[in-house]
Amino acid sequence: TWRRLSGGRVFATWRRRRVGTTRGLRSSSERSAATMADEVAPEERNRHVVHVGGKEVYAWEQTVDDVNVYVRAPGRCRAKELDVELRKDGIRLALRGNTPYLDHRWSEPIRTSESCWTLEDGVITLALAKRERGKTWKRLLVGQEEFDPVQENEERKRLMLERFQKENPGFDFSGAELTGCCPDASQFMGGVASGT
């Protein structure tokens, strides 16, 4: 599998999967199994699928810290045939020498130094680090339809419970429910702590 980091550097991964950012790569053996399971196989029920003309263009999901975007790669293309530019305010995704498949602005800014993309099993995965941790993105791209108030509140509740779990690892919030209108996890009680 080939990965291209935001700075344009490319590196390969082998059986022993390597994850991380441009600042430091860690092998999967150095991370907890639960954390890796969440990152490698996130629950698809939290994905938001965007269709245009009856065709899936991309799917996306968010956590307190990240936004993950999934785009089906055309045919049997390889990573070196892709032109992916992750900017703090937008994305450009194209096959080299062709018009962009995606050329849009993010609805919220990202940290490019901690964001990267991969091509694996015919799926381009964009792993984006939110600039404002805990902020609920109401949509992925400018111009895309925003969540309705009910969807937004449900997303806020899910992110708030994720925040509580990260900040209180000794407690189990899996059966917890929040009722009523939920504040944004980035603003509640001073925001998300930097160490979580």
Side-chain angles (χ1 to χ4, degrees), residues 21-133:
T21 66
T22 55
R23 292 190 182 148
L25 298 173
R26 296 178 290 174
S27 71
S28 58
S29 61
E30 295 171 332
R31 304 192 56 168
S32 74
T35 302
M36 285 300 294
D38 288 343
E39 291 176 2
V40 175
E43 296 181 39
E44 289 192 26
R45 65 189 162 127
N46 297 326
R47 286 191 185 172
H48 311 286
V49 181
V50 176
H51 292 89
V52 174
K55 181 181 176 187
E56 180 180 321
V57 179
Y58 60 87
W60 70 285
E61 63 193 358
Q62 63 182 312
T63 65
V64 170
D65 301 314
D66 305 302
V67 173
N68 295 308
V69 184
Y70 307 94
V71 181
R72 176 115 351 243
R76 299 174 60 98
C77 79
R78 299 181 313 189
K80 66 182 179 180
E81 297 172 312
L82 294 171
D83 182 17
V84 181
E85 181 184 354
L86 298 175
R87 300 180 305 266
K88 70 177 180 178
D89 63 344
I91 180 173
R92 183 179 184 283
L93 171 64
L95 281 173
R96 291 200 187 276
N98 291 298
T99 58
Y101 179 71
L102 285 175
D103 192 3
H104 296 282
R105 293 185 52 214
W106 305 122
S107 65
E108 301 289 338
I110 65 167
R111 293 185 309 239
T112 57
S113 64
E114 298 177 31
S115 299
C116 67
W117 66 272
T118 63
L119 173 61
E120 191 169 352
D121 298 327
V123 177
I124 302 164
T125 302
L126 310 172
L128 312 172
K130 291 180 176 180
R131 172 161 292 163
E132 188 176 349
R133 296 178 68 218

